[in-house]
Amino acid sequence: MRIWPRYLAFATLTLLACNTHAQQARQAEQQRPVLLSADRVWTGDGAPHAGWSVLVAEGRIQGVGPSDTLAVPADVERISLPGKTLIPGLIELHSHVLLHPYNETTWDDQVIKEAPAYRVALAVRHAADTLQAGFTTLRDLGTEGAGYDDVGIKRAIDEGQVPGPRLLVATRAIVATASYGPAERSYRPDMEIPYGAQQATGIDEGVKAVREQSAHGADWIKIYADYRTGIDGSTRPTFTLEEMKAMVAAAHITGRKVAAHASSDDAIRLAVLAGVDTIEHGYGASEATFKLMVERKTAYVPTLTAPEAIGEYFQKHVRGGTPTPAMQQAARAFQLARKLGVIIGNGSDVGVFTHGTNERELEWMVRLGMSPTEALRAATVVAAGILGKPELGALKHGALADVVAVDGDPTADIAALRKVGFVMKGGMVYRRP
């Protein structure tokens, strides 16, 4: 019987030694200088530059410019990427790594029937697929019934235990009591069912929820400003202005920003007046409300791909065919917001559709009027500004070394983002040709 404790101790020490060795190897790789050369370099602004290279060392960009002008160390590793364009690592502002497409399993069944451990296992794969697709940073806006599991996933990625994008997490999200899902009316009233977010009523409970989620590791606070609570199932505001103002103030005093799920014009306006930092979806916003967003510098994350995916799953929509009414409403809002000069960041609601196909959102942006360069900026420089992370979203001296190479020139054809051939995050290479 005494053999087992000795064996367990030996196995534990072996695992710790292997883990330490792996971490040391990762640190050494991050510190080693690397020179990346491709046909073109797009830094995050302007046109791509031919004949440029990117010098990386110690996890950061040490130089960007004409290849013959960079001071390259003698021990540099040279990586040549012919036929490709180097771009900053892409940023996704609205993801759900703990969800998977609703045509595989409905949202209700994911929340009620899928064990948290199973959902985490899937999320690890989702994160890896997303990184391979060139998205090196995600703002993940809610675990949808999986508690604080996004915090654990973020830690595993940060420690190098599993590959994945840099995560900024919102944990449980906050909803008005009995206003979210699984909807009570769909189930027996005596059933105890898991809920998709943290419920709150009144200022005190709302502020408490902000503080609890912050203490558990939330980087952002997400508030559901509206939901389908109307007597006829219509989308209505769920929190009062005073409730939202209190939650925003409680978040902002800690340095955390606030994202608001809002689709109805009334709720969007209330959320903006309350001081939220981003509006998610925003499909029903009026011209007056978008003008208010411009005035308040509230950013807009349009999630154009989500209504397309829902249309495919449940309304017999064929991709490329006639848009559903929900898709038309989303397109109208996006085009109006762009016309009025609203800050627009890239966010797709991925998880509703397949992880690793996030580029679909950028293709929608271009389809609805943005130039490819404008869409790329929404997923790099502009998104980094929304996050308050100037070290992301650009290839410039001192920035974190998040560098992606795609076939062709994405500033001419946004579909080039489908063909990722190289991915570096924080100076570590996760994909090579």
Side-chain angles (χ1 to χ4, degrees):
M1 294 296 292
R2 293 168 102 46
I3 295 175
W4 285 108
R6 293 177 183 174
Y7 175 79
L8 181 60
F10 175 77
T12 301
L13 289 171
T14 301
L15 281 172
L16 288 172
C18 290
N19 187 49
T20 300
H21 177 74
Q23 289 178 336
Q24 290 172 344
R26 285 192 292 269
Q27 290 171 356
E29 182 180 346
Q30 283 182 307
Q31 292 173 355
R32 182 181 179 184
V34 178
L35 184 70
L36 304 173
S37 300
D39 285 8
R40 292 163 296 275
V41 174
W42 183 72
T43 63
D45 198 9
H49 300 277
W52 279 30
S53 294
V54 178
L55 179 63
V56 172
E58 298 181 352
R60 292 190 177 266
I61 295 173
Q62 306 299 325
V64 182
S67 301
D68 57 1
T69 66
L70 295 176
V72 179
D75 61 341
V76 72
E77 177 188 1
R78 296 175 182 269
I79 299 178
S80 180
L81 300 161
K84 294 178 171 53
T85 301
L86 292 174
I87 63 173
L90 298 168
I91 300 171
E92 164 72 72
L93 291 174
H94 194 129
S95 70
H96 294 282
V97 296
L98 284 149
L99 290 177
H100 58 99
Y102 301 166
N103 63 334
E104 297 174 357
T105 308
T106 66
W107 184 89
D108 273 26
D109 281 356
Q110 290 184 51
V111 174
I112 295 173
K113 297 180 180 180
E114 292 183 348
Y118 176 77
R119 295 183 66 188
V120 169
L122 291 185
V124 169
R125 190 189 73 200
H126 298 158
D129 290 345
T130 304
L131 182 60
Q132 288 295 304
F135 285 80
T136 54
T137 300
L138 300 187
R139 184 181 62 156
D140 200 70
L141 287 183
T143 60
E144 307 292 342
Y148 298 104
D149 285 349
D150 54 351
V151 177
I153 296 166
K154 174 185 175 179
R155 176 183 172 182
I157 292 171
D158 288 348
E159 291 180 354
Q161 309 293 349
V162 296
R166 183 179 296 102
L167 291 184
L168 300 169
V169 299
T171 70
R172 298 173 65 190
I174 303 171
V175 296
T177 301
S179 69
Y180 193 46
E184 286 79 2
R185 70 175 68 88
S186 301
Y187 301 91
R188 285 174 45 171
D190 60 336
M191 288 181 66
E192 291 288 338
I193 57 176
Y195 214 63
Q198 184 171 356
Q199 303 181 67
T201 293
I203 289 172
D204 289 347
E205 287 188 8
V207 170
K208 182 181 179 182
V210 169
R211 291 173 177 164
E212 287 178 349
Q213 293 186 14
S214 299
H216 279 88
D219 302 301
W220 276 70
I221 298 299
K222 182 183 180 182
I223 298 170
Y224 278 77
D226 62 12
Y227 212 67
R228 298 183 290 273
T229 57
I231 193 168
D232 57 352
S234 59
T235 298
R236 303 286 298 171
T238 51
F239 284 115
T240 66
L241 177 60
E242 290 72 23
E243 287 172 325
M244 282 196 284
K245 277 185 174 180
M247 288 186 281
V248 170
H252 281 176
I253 202 169
T254 70
R256 290 171 173 83
K257 293 186 176 186
V258 180
H261 165 113
S263 295
S264 62
D265 188 53
D266 288 344
I268 298 165
R269 187 171 185 84
L270 286 172
V272 174
L273 291 172
V276 304
D277 299 280
T278 66
I279 294 293
E280 312 299 309
H281 314 302
Y283 305 137
S286 65
E287 181 171 342
T289 297
F290 275 135
K291 286 181 177 178
L292 180 65
M293 290 176 64
V294 173
E295 178 186 324
R296 298 292 184 97
K297 295 182 172 57
T298 310
Y300 176 43
V301 181
T303 62
L304 300 166
T305 314
E308 177 189 52
I310 296 298
E312 289 175 351
Y313 303 156
F314 306 119
Q315 298 160 5
K316 299 182 180 180
H317 173 70
V318 177
R319 200 176 304 182
T322 303
T324 65
M327 292 167 63
Q328 293 174 29
Q329 186 185 38
R332 177 210 64 85
F334 174 81
Q335 291 171 327
L336 179 58
R338 180 171 175 265
K339 174 184 174 183
L340 295 173
V342 177
I343 299 166
I344 299 176
N346 171 63
S348 65
D349 214 356
V350 66
V352 174
F353 62 98
T354 304
H355 294 277
T357 64
N358 310 58
E359 83 288 340
R360 288 172 59 181
E361 184 74 11
L362 295 168
E363 293 179 17
W364 262 114
M365 288 180 165
V366 172
R367 202 174 297 140
L368 294 177
M370 276 189 173
S371 69
T373 298
E374 191 179 356
L376 283 169
R377 284 179 56 81
T380 53
V381 179
V382 175
I386 291 170
L387 295 176
K389 301 287 185 182
E391 69 274 23
L392 299 175
L395 301 182
K396 62 183 180 181
H397 182 271
L400 287 172
D402 291 5
V403 189
V404 170
V406 299
D407 289 355
D409 180 359
T411 67
D413 180 7
I414 199 69
L417 296 181
R418 301 178 190 176
K419 299 177 181 178
V420 174
F422 176 87
V423 176
M424 171 184 279
K425 187 193 81 172
M428 285 189 60
V429 178
Y430 288 88
R431 180 169 186 166
R432 294 176 182 263

